[in-house]
Amino acid sequence: MSQPNDLKNVGLKATLPRLRILNLFETSEVRHLAAEDVYRILLAEGVDVGLATVYRVLTQFEAAGLLVRHHFESGKAIFELNQGRHHDHLVCLQCGMVEEFYDAEIERRQEQIAKERGFRIQEHSLYLYADCLKTDCPHKT
Amino acid sequence: MSQPNDLKNVGLKATLPRLRILNLFETSEVRHLAAEDVYRILLAEGVDVGLATVYRVLTQFEAAGLLVRHHFESGKAIFELNQGRHHDHLVCLQCGMVEEFYDAEIERRQEQIAKERGFRIQEHSLYLYADCLKTDCPHKT
DNA sequence: TTGTATGCAAATGGTTTGCAAGGGC
DNA sequence: GCCCTTGCAAACCATTTGCATACAA
């Protein structure tokens, strides 16, 4: 369960909306959530929160390094808990399920390519859009 | 110069806006353009076109395989000519410049990873967000 | 108490759509 | 001439912002 100190450590007051949002990312089995998802889930949990607050808090959490923001094809921003380990994403185009992966060789080549061309990488995102081929494709977003 | 047949071959009538938009992508030295960019450039060229038409034509061209649509961090969709060869993108966070690259080993690993996990890749995009470190960073978007 | 955070509603920015007029073929 | 295409304006959707109130410290 997220503690008030988790927030104070990054310089944010421990308010109810912030605690609930952080807690949601820490406990939900679905790791990738859009602002609208967070808003809907909190309302369902009986938390009287505004959508604008959700957006503000998500942005603050991203700035504080608690969350990572992704831009998949959907057009809406997707957030996930920042657990330190960089990774890439496989996104099922049929059911929206997101699976994570990490490949050291791909990371190495990226560094190499950037260096060759005189760039300094700030961040990078590899999205594989695919069909997951599960018999039922059950992971509805 | 783009010909009426380029459009008829993909099942689209050769209208003025379509010809001018295709021509723009074929001749512009800037390969990556947002709808707004296309609109602004055409107006400057004296073509009386509507922004809605630009959006419609870009979407049709994407469906026809003439253009590829990208979702960089900016929040706006970016289009480029589909020249058959898949490639990835280095995007300068300072000046917006886009540089393309292709790495066979990265492609191989992606295929491998998808296969291992039972996915069938439909499309994939690798974006490296970086600082281009050019002394003047001159390529303003 | 005091300044930051919140909720609401209105504003914004990119993109889409309804509709009547226009233009390929 | 027929039907697809266009331009305009209004609608849409995700996100941001202004402002008066509420709340953590």
Side-chain angles (χ1 to χ4, degrees):
Chain A
M1 184 69 178
S2 44
Q3 300 299 321
N5 279 341
D6 297 341
L7 292 173
K8 294 188 185 139
N9 290 341
V10 295
L12 294 171
K13 278 189 191 172
T15 66
L16 207 172
R18 285 177 181 157
L19 283 168
R20 297 300 297 245
I21 290 173
L22 182 53
N23 183 242
L24 175 55
F25 279 96
E26 286 174 340
T27 61
S28 170
E29 67 284 5
V30 181
R31 289 180 39 78
H32 301 83
L33 299 169
E36 187 72 35
D37 300 329
V38 173
Y39 176 64
R40 198 162 14 77
I41 294 172
L42 289 190
L43 285 194
E45 291 179 351
V47 184
D48 180 28
V49 70
L51 182 55
T53 299
V54 172
Y55 275 103
R56 276 186 288 235
V57 170
L58 291 175
T59 300
Q60 292 159 350
F61 282 6
E62 184 199 12
L66 294 174
L67 296 180
V68 179
R69 182 194 302 252
H70 295 289
H71 300 88
F72 297 150
E73 316 200 286
S74 66
K76 349 160 58 148
I78 302 291
F79 296 83
E80 74 174 307
L81 208 55
N82 180 4
Q83 299 186 307
R85 311 173 272 97
H86 163 79
H87 54 258
D88 296 311
H89 296 85
L90 260 163
V91 183
C92 178
L93 289 171
Q94 304 306 314
C95 65
M97 181 198 59
V98 178
E99 202 163 299
E100 302 173 353
F101 69 91
Y102 178 86
D103 185 271
E105 179 61 20
I106 288 180
E107 300 300 320
R108 232 182 331 265
R109 308 290 294 198
Q110 289 179 164
E111 279 298 341
Q112 176 65 21
I113 287 163
K115 194 202 282 180
E116 282 169 7
R117 290 158 184 263
F119 281 69
R120 180 191 298 127
I121 292 184
Q122 296 299 329
E123 49 180 310
H124 51 295
S125 43
L126 170 51
Y127 302 135
L128 297 184
Y129 297 102
D131 292 340
C132 73
L133 302 184
K134 310 271 189 265
T135 44
D136 49 348
C137 216
H139 324 262
K140 302 292 175 199
T141 303
Chain B
M1 185 68 179
S2 45
Q3 301 298 320
N5 279 340
D6 297 342
L7 291 172
K8 294 184 185 145
N9 290 341
V10 296
L12 293 172
K13 277 188 191 174
T15 65
L16 207 173
R18 285 177 181 157
L19 283 168
R20 296 300 297 245
I21 291 174
L22 182 53
N23 183 242
L24 175 56
F25 278 97
E26 287 175 340
T27 61
S28 170
E29 68 283 6
V30 181
R31 287 180 41 79
H32 301 83
L33 298 169
E36 189 72 38
D37 300 328
V38 173
Y39 176 62
R40 198 161 15 77
I41 294 172
L42 288 190
L43 285 194
E45 291 179 351
V47 184
D48 180 28
V49 70
L51 180 54
T53 299
V54 171
Y55 275 103
R56 276 186 289 236
V57 170
L58 291 175
T59 300
Q60 291 160 350
F61 281 6
E62 184 198 13
L66 295 174
L67 295 180
V68 179
R69 182 194 302 251
H70 295 290
H71 300 87
F72 297 149
E73 313 201 290
S74 66
K76 358 168 37 156
I78 301 290
F79 296 83
E80 75 174 309
L81 208 54
N82 181 3
Q83 300 185 306
R85 310 174 272 97
H86 163 78
H87 54 258
D88 296 311
H89 296 86
L90 260 164
V91 183
C92 178
L93 289 170
Q94 304 306 315
C95 65
M97 182 198 57
V98 179
E99 201 163 300
E100 302 173 353
F101 68 91
Y102 178 87
D103 186 90
E105 179 61 20
I106 288 180
E107 300 299 320
R108 234 183 330 265
R109 308 288 293 198
Q110 289 179 165
E111 279 298 342
Q112 176 65 22
I113 287 163
K115 194 203 281 181
E116 281 170 6
R117 291 160 182 261
F119 281 69
R120 180 191 298 127
I121 292 185
Q122 297 300 328
E123 51 180 308
H124 50 296
S125 42
L126 170 50
Y127 303 135
L128 297 185
Y129 297 102
D131 292 340
C132 73
L133 303 184
K134 309 269 188 268
T135 44
D136 48 348
C137 215
H139 324 264
K140 303 291 175 200
T141 302

